[in-house]
């Protein structure tokens, strides 16, 4: 139903089907046995050899232009409707993409990602950002069931750089101590990482482990990080739809 409502292209639909399958074989949980989850997912998706996180996390490697933001909207719609998950934390790699994501998740904008989702037509998700969390955030917990937090990782990284204080303390100073604790205490926080190759090894992402999300979903067209030994491919790629295939499919 979601694939139809959001007019998903076939690779987007396949990615959504994979998410559905992994929630079936390894139901998201606040205190997962990461090794058991990895074994379950790897049994069907052998390309996932390591989550590379303290929690189950998989990467969808989709060519630029396939529509990662719309897919994020489909992931959120599905997890909310099928599994009752209400809380999402979206990481953007920089200010430009952060601003674009905030716009695309805001009702009435040209590329609004939930257009066609009936459940969100009457009560759209609350969008909480790095700019407004102090004035909104927890005040709206009772009013809107689905909440999408959007933060800019480059700003978080500037806060945690230099080791002036423990990483997690710097991160909670940026997100707000009480709001950070509120997020970390949620039973159903799902982390979505846009263009994750740009910040995967950064201090800010290591600190995100402390938010204790139940599931991580990475989206990138470049599933590798550059090291002094050359490019190292992500070990948690669950679906790969490269540019060559996208071009062949028109």
């Amino acid at each position: 139903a979601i694939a139809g409502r959001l007019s998903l292209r076939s690779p987007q639909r396949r990615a959504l089907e994979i998410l559905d399958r992994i929630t079936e074989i390894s139901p998201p949980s606040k205190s997962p046995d990461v090794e058991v989850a990895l074994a379950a997912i790897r049994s069907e998706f052998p390309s996932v050899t390591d989550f590379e996180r303290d929690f189950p996390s998989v990467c969808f490697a989709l060519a630029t232009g396939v529509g990662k933001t719309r897919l994020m909207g489909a992931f959120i719609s599905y997890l909310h409707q099928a599994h009752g998950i209400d809380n999402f934390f979206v990481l953007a790699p920089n200010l430009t993409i952060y601003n674009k994501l905030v716009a695309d998740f805001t009702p009435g904008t040209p590329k609004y990602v939930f257009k066609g989702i009936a459940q969100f037509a009457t009560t759209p998700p609350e969008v909480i950002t790095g700019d407004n969390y102090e004035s909104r955030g927890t005040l709206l917990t009772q009013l809107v069931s689905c909440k999408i937090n959007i933060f800019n990782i480059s700003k978080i990284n500037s806060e945690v750089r230099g080791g002036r204080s423990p990483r997690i303390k710097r991160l909670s100073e940026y997100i707000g101590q009480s709001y950070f604790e509120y997020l970390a205490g949620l039973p159903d926080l799902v982390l979505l990482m846009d263009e994750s190759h740009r910040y995967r090894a950064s201090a800010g992402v290591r600190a995100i482990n402390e938010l204790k999300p139940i599931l991580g979903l990475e989206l990138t067209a470049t599933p590798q990080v550059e090291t002094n030994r050359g490019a190292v491919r992500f070990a948690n790629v669950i679906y790969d739809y490269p540019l060559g295939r996208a071009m062949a499919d028109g």
Side-chain angles (χ1 to χ4, degrees):
I2 289 167
R5 288 282 182 171
L6 294 180
S7 306
L8 295 186
R9 297 165 174 159
S10 58
Q12 295 168 314
R13 182 179 182 130
R14 178 63 190 137
L16 186 60
E17 287 167 350
I18 289 170
L19 175 61
D20 173 55
R21 182 61 186 144
I22 62 176
T23 59
E24 197 172 21
I25 58 179
S26 179
S29 139
K30 187 70 176 174
S31 51
D33 184 321
V34 176
E35 292 304 314
V36 170
L38 180 62
I41 290 171
R42 193 175 183 181
S43 68
E44 285 195 31
F45 303 96
S47 60
V48 180
T49 58
D50 193 334
F51 292 138
E52 303 190 70
R53 298 264 179 275
D54 296 349
F55 50 88
S57 185
V58 293
C59 174
F60 295 84
L62 298 171
T64 300
V66 168
K68 289 190 283 293
T69 310
R70 182 173 290 261
L71 180 58
M72 275 195 264
F75 282 169
I76 290 170
S77 302
Y78 164 78
L79 290 168
H80 180 64
Q81 292 186 41
H83 297 281
I85 291 171
D86 292 336
N87 295 284
F88 300 89
F89 192 94
V90 180
L91 275 180
N94 56 39
L95 186 60
T96 304
I97 294 176
Y98 165 79
N99 287 334
K100 177 186 176 298
L101 287 172
V102 171
D104 292 349
F105 280 100
T106 301
T109 52
K111 293 187 176 177
Y112 181 51
V113 295
F114 298 120
K115 212 174 282 178
I117 300 291
Q119 190 174 351
F120 289 154
T122 45
T123 312
E126 176 65 24
V127 177
I128 300 153
T129 71
D131 300 307
N132 72 12
Y133 71 88
E134 290 170 299
S135 58
R136 296 167 94 161
T138 46
L139 297 175
L140 290 153
T141 353
Q142 284 75 38
L143 304 179
V144 179
S145 63
C146 186
K147 288 171 283 298
I148 301 169
N149 298 271
I150 304 177
F151 282 81
N152 173 9
I153 189 78
S154 64
K155 192 168 178 186
I156 292 174
N157 283 331
S158 71
E159 296 287 329
V160 300
R161 192 173 294 133
R164 290 181 297 274
S165 59
R167 278 199 298 270
I168 192 59
K169 185 169 185 299
R170 298 294 300 169
L171 182 62
S172 58
E173 279 172 27
Y174 169 58
I175 293 182
Q177 186 69 39
S178 60
Y179 197 60
F180 186 89
E181 287 169 355
Y182 158 72
L183 288 172
L186 290 169
D188 64 348
L189 189 68
V190 169
L191 176 64
L192 295 102
M193 295 163 267
D194 192 20
E195 300 282 349
S196 61
H197 66 280
R198 300 193 192 196
Y199 51 81
R200 205 170 200 254
S202 67
V205 168
R206 289 195 293 275
I208 292 289
N209 279 328
E210 299 295 327
L211 284 176
K212 304 183 185 68
I214 59 171
L215 179 64
L217 302 170
E218 296 186 55
L219 296 102
T220 178
T222 316
Q224 59 189 41
V225 287
E226 296 301 328
T227 70
N228 49 19
R229 301 187 310 280
V232 178
R233 188 172 166 83
F234 294 0
N236 66 342
V237 175
I238 198 163
Y239 180 50
D240 193 5
Y241 187 79
L243 187 58
R245 273 181 66 195
M247 291 172 73
D249 292 344

